[in-house]
Amino acid sequence: MNTKKEINNIFKIKNLNLFYADNQALIDLEVNIEKNKVTALIGPSGCGKSTFLRCLNRMNDLIEICKIRGTITFEDRNIYRPNYDVIDLRTNVGMVFQKPNPFPMSIYDNVSYGPKCQGIKDKKILDEIVEKALRDAALWDEVKDRLHSSAMMMSGGQQQRVCIARAIAMEPKVILMDEPTSALDPIATQKVENLIENLKKDYTIVIVTHSMQQAARISDNTVFFLLGKIIETGPTNKMFSNPNKQETEDYITGKFG
């Protein structure tokens, strides 16, 4: 009898190649993203981490010279097949960027923006969505008395958590994070890291990070990129303690990058 636990992969990537005009940025990528886990994408600058992240919700579609070959299946459906609903994909796969980018409006309006765009007008329902998202983003107690103040007046760390709450309000299945703490101080960074740890109960998280310490602290799985290729992937504790490839060990120990 096979008692091995079957891994539930929410994304499966096969033979993924990406070109910016004649420049190939991603080369023959094959990797799976496990559901309700934190997957860290590591590697030196310019190695393809953020480009790969943007493939997962088709943000690269917005770049005219970008061409993609291969398959990415999300919940066993190829997101690059003709007629795939990209709006539905981006609802299910939210994104948080490197620099906090709250809209120039109130905290409440930032978090309720997406649901309103989806046609939700009932104030009671919107109130519930905003409170739940801010609670999930570990921000409710800090802002509940100033929901109608401008989000632009908050600290950088609070702004980033508002952006996470804005993503959560859409009830995604996956949250993509592109270096979400690189612009934050150590205390704000710790709050976001604690938040990520709590969020994985309900969401799959894929995070690009330049910090080896951060990847080691918060991720379950790690993918190491180098020059547009995936060199190694696996459980974070295994990769950081006993990597299979010399390049992985050299990068993790700071010999380059």
Side-chain angles (χ1 to χ4, degrees):
M1 187 172 102
N2 184 7
T3 58
K4 187 177 180 182
K5 183 183 174 187
E6 184 178 343
I7 294 175
N8 187 356
N9 294 314
I10 194 164
F11 277 109
K12 297 175 185 175
I13 294 91
K14 289 185 179 176
N15 302 318
L16 183 68
N17 291 274
L18 181 144
F19 300 81
Y20 293 123
D22 296 328
N23 175 41
Q24 186 165 5
L26 300 177
I27 304 164
D28 296 331
L29 302 190
E30 301 237 353
V31 66
N32 295 326
I33 305 294
E34 199 174 344
K35 186 176 181 182
N36 291 110
K37 301 286 187 184
V38 179
T39 298
L41 311 181
I42 66 170
S45 295
C47 67
K49 305 182 300 293
S50 294
T51 296
F52 171 71
L53 192 75
R54 291 194 299 268
C55 290
L56 298 178
N57 67 348
R58 288 185 53 174
M59 288 289 283
N60 289 316
D61 288 14
L62 305 173
I63 302 170
E64 199 172 305
I65 61 170
C66 183
K67 298 286 181 281
I68 294 173
R69 298 174 190 156
T71 60
I72 297 179
T73 60
F74 172 63
E75 296 186 320
D76 296 321
R77 294 173 62 221
N78 181 10
I79 66 172
Y80 282 96
R81 69 174 172 79
N83 303 320
Y84 190 94
D85 188 337
V86 179
I87 293 173
D88 184 60
L89 174 69
R90 291 179 187 152
T91 300
N92 281 304
V93 184
M95 190 145 192
V96 176
F97 296 92
Q98 182 173 357
K99 192 169 183 288
N101 63 338
F103 301 143
M105 53 181 69
S106 72
I107 297 166
Y108 184 98
D109 287 341
N110 263 273
V111 181
S112 62
Y113 184 86
K116 284 177 180 174
C117 288
Q118 289 188 317
I120 298 174
K121 299 286 191 283
D122 187 308
K123 186 170 186 307
K124 186 180 178 189
I125 294 173
L126 289 170
D127 288 349
E128 290 171 356
I129 290 170
V130 169
E131 180 173 345
K132 181 181 185 305
L134 288 169
R135 284 189 184 280
D136 285 353
L139 195 56
W140 174 253
D141 290 337
E142 295 174 42
V143 302
K144 62 185 178 183
D145 297 324
R146 53 187 179 111
L147 292 176
H148 299 287
S149 300
S150 171
M152 310 302 286
M153 303 300 291
M154 306 171 79
S155 70
Q158 288 175 324
Q159 287 186 9
Q160 192 65 300
R161 281 183 286 148
V162 160
C163 294
I164 293 170
R166 192 171 67 198
I168 290 171
M170 299 296 287
E171 298 187 333
K173 296 175 181 177
V174 180
I175 302 175
L176 309 178
M177 298 186 171
D178 194 355
E179 295 194 65
T181 63
S182 65
L184 306 183
D185 62 55
I187 292 171
T189 293
Q190 184 177 19
K191 287 185 177 181
V192 171
E193 288 185 4
N194 292 341
L195 171 58
I196 289 169
E197 182 66 30
N198 291 327
L199 287 175
K200 74 177 182 184
K201 296 191 296 289
D202 300 307
Y203 307 93
T204 301
I205 296 173
V206 186
I207 177 170
V208 171
T209 179
H210 269 108
S211 167
M212 295 304 94
Q213 295 86 352
Q214 182 172 76
R217 282 193 300 265
I218 67 170
S219 69
D220 301 289
N221 299 310
T222 295
V223 184
F224 171 49
F225 284 78
L226 187 63
L227 299 174
K229 297 180 180 179
I230 291 175
I231 302 301
E232 186 171 348
T233 180
T236 298
N237 53 9
K238 161 75 169 62
M239 276 184 63
F240 276 72
S241 62
N242 187 25
N244 292 327
K245 301 288 180 67
Q246 186 63 46
E247 300 102 311
T248 311
E249 182 171 338
D250 289 348
Y251 181 71
I252 288 171
T253 56
K255 290 184 180 173
F256 72 95

